[in-house]
């Protein structure tokens, strides 16, 4: 059973990492690096519903011109005046000021406490959906390693950090973000990404 748990933890980690990548600007590299194939393989080890959505995401990306996806990405996440689905936790958890709320500082503090460092070349806010999903990946990966090593203290610490992210940050705002993304998207790719992200985060929230 422990070996099965370890494999599923690793699959959940891969799914979080690959979902994070999908919120970067769409690029041919998504196909060259087999992002969607890896995602579907990971999802099949976690949940059949997630696997179906991951397969649909692959088909949707291949069906639409890259330029159309770039246009949709820009209007959804960047502007030109304001994004249709702001990819920041503070946009959904804060008050009238959209960005850099106390929630942004709180999630940054969580990262530091867990020893998680944002890449130096990442020039956006720490509560961006890509970073929060990457942090989720890091904690799931750490849990898989701890399970393999039989390190119960490390396993508990990584799971606690994962739960804090889901209880106070990503898990609190992902449903509203996903709904806004799905409603505003013009492309099937981003509509499917909204469904997959919301479903995966909800599944993680339901775990102990």
């Amino acid at each position: 059973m422990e070996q099965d748990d370890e494999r599923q933890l690793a699959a959940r980690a891969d799914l979080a990492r690959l979902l994070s990548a999908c919120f970067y600007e769409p690029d041919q590299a998504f196909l060259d690096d087999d992002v969607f194939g890896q995602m579907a393989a990971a999802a099949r080890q976690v949940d059949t519903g997630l696997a179906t959505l991951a397969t649909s995401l692959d088909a949707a990306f291949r069906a639409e011109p890259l330029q159309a996806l770039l246009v949709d990405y820009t209007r959804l996440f960047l502007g030109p005046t304001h994004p249709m689905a702001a990819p920041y936790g503070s946009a959904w958890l804060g008050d009238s000021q959209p960005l850099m709320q106390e929630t942004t500082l709180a999630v940054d503090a969580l990262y530091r406490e867990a020893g998680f460092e944002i890449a130096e070349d990442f020039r956006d806010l720490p509560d961006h959906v890509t970073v929060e999903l990457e942090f989720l990946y890091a904690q799931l990966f750490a849990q898989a390693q701890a399970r393999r090593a039989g390190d119960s203290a490390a396993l508990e610490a990584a799971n606690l950090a994962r739960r804090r992210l889901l209880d106070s940050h990503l898990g609190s705002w992902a449903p509203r973000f996903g709904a806004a993304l799905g409603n505003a998207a013009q492309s099937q790719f981003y509509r499917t990404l909204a469904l997959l992200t919301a479903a995966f985060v909800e599944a993680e929230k339901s775990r102990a």
Side-chain angles (χ1 to χ4, degrees):
M1 177 63 73
E2 287 194 357
Q3 185 65 26
D4 290 340
D5 289 346
E6 178 191 323
R7 286 199 298 268
Q8 189 174 86
L9 281 165
R12 288 159 56 200
D14 283 344
L15 192 48
R17 174 178 58 87
L18 294 161
L19 272 175
S20 174
C22 289
F23 286 97
Y24 285 98
E25 184 176 289
D27 191 272
Q28 176 62 32
F30 286 17
L31 298 180
D32 296 342
D33 296 340
D34 194 27
V35 167
F36 306 116
Q38 293 180 64
M39 183 183 295
R44 281 193 292 272
Q45 298 185 60
V46 179
D47 178 84
T48 55
L50 295 176
T52 298
L53 286 170
T55 301
S56 297
L57 192 68
D58 184 6
F61 189 91
R62 296 174 187 276
E64 300 181 69
L66 185 58
Q67 185 57 40
L69 292 174
L70 284 167
V71 169
D72 210 15
Y73 170 89
T74 299
R75 58 182 291 279
L76 287 167
F77 303 128
L78 301 178
T81 55
H82 61 85
M84 304 294 289
Y88 306 99
S90 51
W92 305 98
L93 298 177
D95 53 32
S96 59
Q97 298 299 317
L99 301 178
M100 282 303 292
Q101 295 283 331
E102 290 183 5
T103 55
T104 310
L105 302 177
V107 78
D108 195 41
L110 173 59
Y111 299 159
R112 292 196 302 272
E113 290 173 28
F116 175 78
E117 296 184 3
I118 300 174
E120 290 185 2
D121 60 352
F122 185 79
R123 303 300 182 189
D124 218 319
L125 298 177
D127 63 341
H128 194 286
V129 64
T130 58
V131 186
E132 296 202 14
L133 283 168
E134 188 72 18
F135 181 78
L136 179 57
Y137 153 72
Q139 302 318 305
L140 288 166
F141 183 78
Q143 285 184 259
Q145 287 190 311
R147 174 78 74 184
R148 184 180 305 116
D151 188 339
S152 59
L155 182 66
E156 183 178 355
N159 192 48
L160 177 60
R162 181 188 70 91
R163 286 269 23 132
R164 288 177 61 190
L165 176 78
L166 293 166
D167 291 342
S168 301
H169 302 289
L170 183 62
S172 296
W173 64 272
R176 282 173 284 172
F177 166 68
L181 176 57
N183 289 333
Q186 294 180 340
S187 62
Q188 185 60 42
F189 174 75
Y190 284 110
R191 286 193 291 271
T192 305
L193 181 60
L195 292 172
L196 178 55
T197 303
F200 175 65
V201 172
E202 188 59 34
E204 284 298 313
K205 285 173 63 177
S206 71
R207 296 178 183 274

